[in-house]
C-alpha cells in the first residue's frame, strides 16, 4: 500500500516461537486463573476450559508465566532443537 | 458571482483556503506568514468557516497536527515561513513519505544567520527533496488560484502528496492588489470534498508509519513516480481552473515574449512581474528578451523549459537562493535538464537574496552579462548580480 | 466499568525482546481501551517491535511519524475526529525519551490546549531502542551507556524528572502513575480516562530486561519490587479530588530491588555503597511525601 500504510495484525505471519530456548509446560496444577495470560508479553496464552493454552508458534520462552504462576502450574524446560 | 476586492496577498490566501473548506488548520505564527493565519483564525472565530483551528506550540507541532488530521481523512492546511519551514522539515519528509495530501503555504523568507525577515527562496529550497510538490506564484491572484488548485492536485489518488504553494513574503503577502474571489458554489464544483484513499478509522484498523527495511527504495521511488504523474495533472488542473473561473497562470511553466527572444530569463515567484515589465522596456530598445516562469519547481519541468527556450542564444537563470558550494539551485536544475541535449548555454545569476531589490538596473546587469557571454562565446557558470563589495571584506 | 474479557488487541508475532515490559504494558493498556481507540506512538521500542511493514501487531488504528511529535499528531487526529463528529478515544503511547525529553514541548502544548487526549508514557527509564542511553527518566545512580558507572562515576548523577508533577502543573484533568506489575490497577486507570473529557497523563513503570539487566522471567517481579520499596510511587490525581496513593504494607529495603539489576551492580561494591543509601533516602522521602 502506498505511503507504507499496512493492515492490522500482519505480525501473525511472523512466528517468534523459533526464538525460544526454554519451553513453558503446563501441568495439572493449572486452574485457568489467567495470571499468566495477563502478564504474557507475546499474546500467546489463552485460557480455555479453565486451563491455560500456550501457543508455541509465538512463545519466545521468556519464563514470566512460570515465574508468576502462584500454583506452580508452569515449568520451564530446555527446548530440544 | 465572483467579486473583486483590493486585498492583501495574505487575505487572498486566506480567502482561497476558506473556500476550499479544510476541516483542520494548524499553524504557528512567523513573519511574514502571520496575516494569513490571523485572517483564518478570525474566519473560524466568526463562524465563517466550519474548521477546527489547532493553535500549536511550534511549527513542528503545526506540521505534526495536520499530519494527524490528514491521516484521519480530513482536508488539512498549514502555513509557515523561513525558520518555521525548516523546523517543519522533519515532519514534511514523513508527511510526503506517508502520502498525506496536506496543502501548505510556504511564505518565502530567507534563513538565518544572519537573521532577517526579508524574502528570498532559501527556505523552500531547503525542502526541495522532501517529496513535497512546490508551486511558485507570481501574484496574489495566482496565489488565490494556486491554493484552490493545490488541494485538487494533492488529493488526487494518483498523486497523494503534500503541495506547498510558495509565495514571496512581504512582496506578495503584504501588498494590496485587486483580487478576484470566486463563489463558494463554483469552488465546490471545482473542488469536491476530500475522499481519502485510507484513513485512521476504528472500523478498519490500519497501521500508519510502519518500520520498513527492504521496501525503502520503492517507497521513495513511488513518490518520484507520483511527481512524474503530477506534471500532467498540474497542467490539466490549471486548464480546468481556467475553464471554470477564466484565469490561467501557466501550467508547469509560463512564458512571456519568448518566441523570438535571444535572451530568456528564467525565474520563479514575484520577480516574474518585474521581469515582464523589464522585458517590455528592453524590447522598446530592440533587445530581444523574454521571460520564462517556472511555476512548478517540484516536479521540475526540465523538458518544458528546454522546448520553450531552445531557440534562444542565452538562458539567464535567476536564483534567489544559493546552494553554498554549488551555486543557484534553479540554474543547477536547468543545466541538468539541458545536459547532453541541443540547448542554449545557461548563465546562472544569483540575485535578490535577502530581499535585495530586483531593480531595472539589476536586470540590465543580467542582460549585459548575457550579451557579453553571447558575444565572447564564453558563459561563466555563475554571476553574482548587484554585489555590494564593501561587505565582502 | 467493565473490561472486555481477555480481549487481545496486540497480535502475536511482534518482535519485542523476550520478557519485554513494554509489550506487557501495551497488552494491558489496549485491553482497557478497547477497539474504539486510535493510538499515536513516538519512535521507540514499541514503534519498532510492533510495526515492521506488512507485519503490524496493532489491531486498532495506529499512527507513528516521528520521535518528538506524538502529542501533536494526536492533536491533529483529535481535531479531525471532532470535525467528523466521531468519538473514538485518541491515545498516545510513547516511551520516556519521547515523553520526558524530545517530545515534552509537544506534550505540554497538547495539555495546554485542553484537548481530549490520553497520553500514556511507558517508562523504561532510558533510550532502550538505541541501546540503553540515559534519558531524563533514568533514575539516580543507574548506569546506562551514556551515564556509565566507572572509576570516577556512579552512573547517573541527576534525579529522575518528575513528569507527573509537570503534567499536574498544566492543570490537566487526570494524572496517574501505574506499573505493569499491578495490571488491575493499571487497567482501571486507563479505562477511567475514557470517562474523563480533557487531557490525561498516565505514566507506566515498565521494566526492561536488556536495559536494566535482569533475567527475562523477572520482569513482573522487578516491577513489584520497585513499588514495594517506595522508589516508584503509584498514585492518581483526578481533578478536584484528593490524591489516591497505593499503600504498601511491608516495605522492602531498596537493595532488594537494586541487587537484581545490572544497571545498579556497581552500587553493590563497597566504595559506592553510599549511593545506594541515597537511593534508599529517595524511597524514604517518597514514602513520607505520598504516604505510601
Amino acid at each position: 500500500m502506498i505511503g507504507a500504510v499496512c493492515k492490522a495484525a500482519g505480525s501473525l505471519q511472523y512466528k517468534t516461537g523459533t526464538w525460544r530456548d526454554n519451553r513453558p509446560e503446563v501441568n495439572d496444577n493449572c486452574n485457568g486463573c489467567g495470571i499468566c495470560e495477563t502478564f504474557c508479553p507475546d499474546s500467546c496464552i489463552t485460557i480455555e476450559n479453565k486451563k491455560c493454552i500456550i501457543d508455541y508458534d509465538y512463545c519466545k520462552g521468556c519464563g514470566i508465566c512460570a515465574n508468576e504462576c502462584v500454583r506452580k502450574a508452569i515449568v520451564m524446560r530446555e527446548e530440544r532443537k | 458571482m465572483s467579486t473583486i476586492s483590493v486585498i492583501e496577498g495574505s487575505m487572498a490566501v486566506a480567502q482561497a483556503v476558506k473556500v476550499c473548506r479544510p476541516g483542520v488548520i494548524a499553524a504557528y505564527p512567523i513573519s511574514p506568514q502571520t496575516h494569513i493565519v490571523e485572517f483564518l483564525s478570525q474566519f473560524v472565530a466568526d463562524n465563517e468557516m466550519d474548521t477546527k483551528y489547532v493553535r500549536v506550540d511550534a511549527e513542528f507541532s503545526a506540521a505534526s497536527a495536520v499530519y494527524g488530521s490528514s491521516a484521519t481523512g480530513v482536508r488539512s492546511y498549514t502555513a509557515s515561513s523561513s525558520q518555521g519551514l525548516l523546523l517543519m522539515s522533519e515532519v514534511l519528509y514523513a508527511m510526503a513519505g506517508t502520502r498525506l495530501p496536506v496543502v501548505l503555504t510556504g511564505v518565502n523568507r530567507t534563513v538565518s544567520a544572519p537573521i532577517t525577515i526579508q524574502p528570498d527562496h532559501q527556505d523552500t529550497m531547503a525542502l526541495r527533496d522532501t517529496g513535497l510538490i512546490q508551486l511558485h506564484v507570481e501574484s496574489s491572484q495566482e496565489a488565490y488560484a494556486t491554493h484552490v488548485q493545490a488541494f485538487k492536485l494533492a488529493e488526487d489518488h494518483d498523486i497523494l502528496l503534500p503541495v506547498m504553494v510558495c509565495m514571496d513574503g512581504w512582496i506578495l503577502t503584504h501588498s494590496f492588489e485587486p483580487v478576484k474571489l470566486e463563489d463558494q458554489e463554483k469552488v465546490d464544483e471545482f473542488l469536491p470534498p476530500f475522499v481519502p484513499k485510507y484513513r485512521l478509522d476504528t472500523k478498519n484498523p490500519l497501521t500508519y508509519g510502519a518500520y520498513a527495511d527492504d521496501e525503502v527504495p520503492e517507497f521513495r521511488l513511488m513518490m518520484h513516480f507520483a511527481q512524474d504523474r503530477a506534471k500532467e495533472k498540474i497542467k490539466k488542473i490549471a486548464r480546468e481552473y481556467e475553464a471554470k473561473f477564466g484565469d490561467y497562470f501557466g501550467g508547469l511553466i509560463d512564458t512571456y515574449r519568448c518566441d523570438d527572444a535571444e535572451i530568456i530569463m528564467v525565474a520563479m515567484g514575484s520577480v516574474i512581474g518585474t521581469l515582464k515589465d523589464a522585458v517590455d522596456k528592453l524590447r522598446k530598445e530592440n533587445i530581444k528578451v523574454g521571460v520564462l516562469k517556472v511555476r512548478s519547481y517540484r516536479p521540475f519541468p526540465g523538458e518544458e523549459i528546454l522546448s520553450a527556450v531552445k531557440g534562444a542564444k542565452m538562458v539567464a537563470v535567476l536564483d534567489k537562493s544559493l546552494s553554498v558550494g554549488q551555486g543557484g539551485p534553479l540554474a543547477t536544475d536547468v543545466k541538468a535538464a539541458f545536459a547532453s541535449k541541443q540547448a542554449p548555454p545557461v548563465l546562472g545569476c544569483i540575485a535578490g537574496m535577502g530581499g535585495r531589490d530586483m531593480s531595472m538596473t539589476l536586470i540590465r546587469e543580467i542582460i549585459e552579462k548575457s550579451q557579453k557571454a553571447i558575444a565572447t562565446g564564453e558563459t561563466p557558470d555563475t554571476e553574482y548580480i548587484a554585489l555590494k563589495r564593501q561587505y565582502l571584506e | 466499568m467493565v473490561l472486555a474479557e481477555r480481549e487481545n488487541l496486540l497480535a502475536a508475532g511482534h518482535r519485542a525482546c523476550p520478557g519485554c515490559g513494554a509489550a506487557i504494558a501495551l497488552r494491558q493498556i489496549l485491553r482497557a481501551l478497547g477497539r474504539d481507540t486510535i493510538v499515536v506512538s513516538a519512535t521507540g521500542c514499541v514503534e519498532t517491535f510492533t510495526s515492521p511493514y506488512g507485519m503490524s501487531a496493532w489491531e486498532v488504528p495506529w499512527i507513528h511519524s516521528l520521535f518528538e511529535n506524538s502529542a501533536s499528531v494526536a492533536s491533529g487526529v483529535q481535531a479531525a475526529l471532532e470535525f467528523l463528529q466521531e468519538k473514538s478515544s485518541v491515545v498516545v503511547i510513547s516511551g520516556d525519551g519521547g515523553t520526558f525529553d524530545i517530545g515534552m514541548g509537544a506534550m505540554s502544548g497538547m495539555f495546554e490546549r485542553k484537548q481530549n487526549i490520553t497520553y500514556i508514557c511507558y517508562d523504561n527509564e532510558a533510550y532502550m531502542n538505541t541501546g540503553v542511553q540515559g534519558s531524563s527518566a533514568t533514575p539516580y545512580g543507574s548506569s546506562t551507556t551514556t551515564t556509565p558507572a566507572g572509576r570516577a562515576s556512579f552512573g547517573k548523577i541527576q534525579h529522575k524528572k518528575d513528569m507527573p508533577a509537570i503534567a499536574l502543573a498544566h492543570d490537566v484533568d487526570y494524572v496517574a502513575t501505574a506499573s505493569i506489575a499491578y495490571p488491575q490497577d493499571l487497567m482501571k486507570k486507563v479505562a477511567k480516562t475514557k470517562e474523563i473529557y480533557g487531557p490525561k497523563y498516565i505514566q507506566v513503570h515498565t521494566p526492561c530486561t536488556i536495559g536494566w539487566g535482569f533475567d527475562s522471567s523477572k520482569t513482573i517481579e522487578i516491577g513489584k519490587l520497585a513499588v514495594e520499596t517506595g522508589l516508584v510511587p503509584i498514585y492518581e490525581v483526578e481533578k478536584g479530588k484528593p490524591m489516591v496513593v497505593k499503600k504498601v504494607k511491608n516495605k522492602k529495603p531498596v537493595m532488594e530491588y537494586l541487587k537484581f539489576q545490572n544497571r545498579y551492580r556497581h552500587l553493590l561494591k563497597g566504595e559506592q555503597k553510599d549511593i545506594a543509601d541515597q537511593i534508599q533516602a529517595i524511597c524514604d522521602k517518597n514514602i513520607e511525601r505520598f504516604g505510601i
Side-chain angles (χ1 to χ4, degrees), chain B residues 21-24 50-52 54-57 60-62 64-75 90-92 94 98 100 199-213 215 219, chain C residues 35-39 47-48 50-54 56-69 72-84 86 88 105-106 108-110 112-113 115:
Chain B
R21 302 181 187 272
V24 174
D50 176 24
T51 301
K52 302 295 166 193
V54 187
R55 176 191 46 79
V56 287
D57 45 280
F60 195 88
S61 287
S64 301
V66 291
Y67 188 108
S69 58
S70 184
T72 313
V74 169
R75 182 171 291 160
E90 190 193 2
V91 188
L92 297 178
T98 311
L100 299 171
R199 58 159 289 202
L200 291 169
D201 180 3
T202 55
K203 289 181 279 300
N204 177 27
L206 296 175
T207 287
Y208 273 74
Y211 184 91
D213 268 323
E215 306 88 349
F219 280 124
Chain C
R35 287 188 186 274
D36 195 13
T37 305
I38 296 173
V39 176
E47 170 263 326
T48 312
T50 58
S51 80
Y53 178 68
S56 168
W58 294 92
E59 301 204 38
V60 294
W62 179 81
I63 183 166
H64 152 257
S65 73
L66 300 165
F67 200 176
E68 64 274 51
N69 69 350
S72 312
V73 172
S75 292
V77 172
Q78 170 59 24
L81 291 180
E82 266 181 44
F83 176 77
L84 296 167
E86 293 179 12
S88 307
S108 173
M110 182 274 278
E112 188 270 338
R113 285 189 295 275
Q115 289 185 277

